[in-house]
Structure formats: C-alpha cells, structure tokens
Amino acid sequence: MLATLRSQQDRAMIPRLIPTDDRIQIGNKTGTDEEKHAWKDGVKHHVRADAAIVTGPDFTYVIAIYARQVEDTRWGVDNEALTTGARISRMIYEHFSRGK
C-alpha cells in the first residue's frame, strides 16, 4: 500500500513544500470534488483533500488536510485551498523534522 501511495503524482498540497531528497518519502492520496448543493450565493463551492504518510530519517507522521466550502473554484494547482494546505503541511513537517 505504501508503494502505491508513494507513486502518487498529484503533489499539489501536502508534498508541495516538503523538501524532495532521498531521505524523505511521502505517500499521499488526494481528493477533489464540488459541494453537492449550491450555497446561498448560488455557487457550488469546492472540496479539496489530501492525506499522507511522511517518513524521514528519524520521524514518521500521518497528516490529513480537508477543506470544504472552498470559494476558489479553479481546478489548477494554484487553487487557494491547495496552497494554504501546502503551507500548513510545511509547518508540520518543520515541527517533526527539526533537529533531526
């Protein structure tokens, strides 16, 4: 299962700002959808998700980031939910990898 997760090619959220080197392995599974019902503004906002197992030389952690009611409905990698999730992921990575 880890090999399958690590072969994921969508790197737009959790892996996005984590350093890429041979010591860090990330296996993640993403999800993208739109809300099933339109909001008061008549727009179906989006749902973005990513869950991962991040392994380094001296640490392993599991992280899941879910965003609902995302007003930025762009499907590309610069979507606000993806870039915000990437920054959150980086902060968590820095916590677990510090001093290692």
Side-chain angles (χ1 to χ4, degrees), residues 4-68:
T4 300
L5 291 172
R6 288 176 179 156
S7 67
Q8 166 69 274
Q9 295 180 17
D10 184 345
R11 313 302 268 176
M13 191 187 290
I14 290 175
R16 183 180 195 145
L17 300 177
I18 294 177
T20 54
D21 64 39
D22 294 338
R23 300 173 305 133
I24 308 298
Q25 293 184 326
I26 304 169
N28 68 308
K29 174 65 179 99
T30 61
T32 302
D33 201 356
E34 66 180 9
E35 297 282 349
K36 299 305 177 208
H37 303 286
W39 286 85
K40 295 175 192 173
D41 59 7
V43 175
K44 288 184 176 181
H45 295 180
H46 285 195
V47 176
R48 300 296 172 105
D50 198 0
I53 300 170
V54 181
T55 305
D58 298 319
F59 62 89
T60 297
Y61 63 90
V62 177
I63 176 176
I65 300 173
Y66 291 85
R68 282 196 60 220

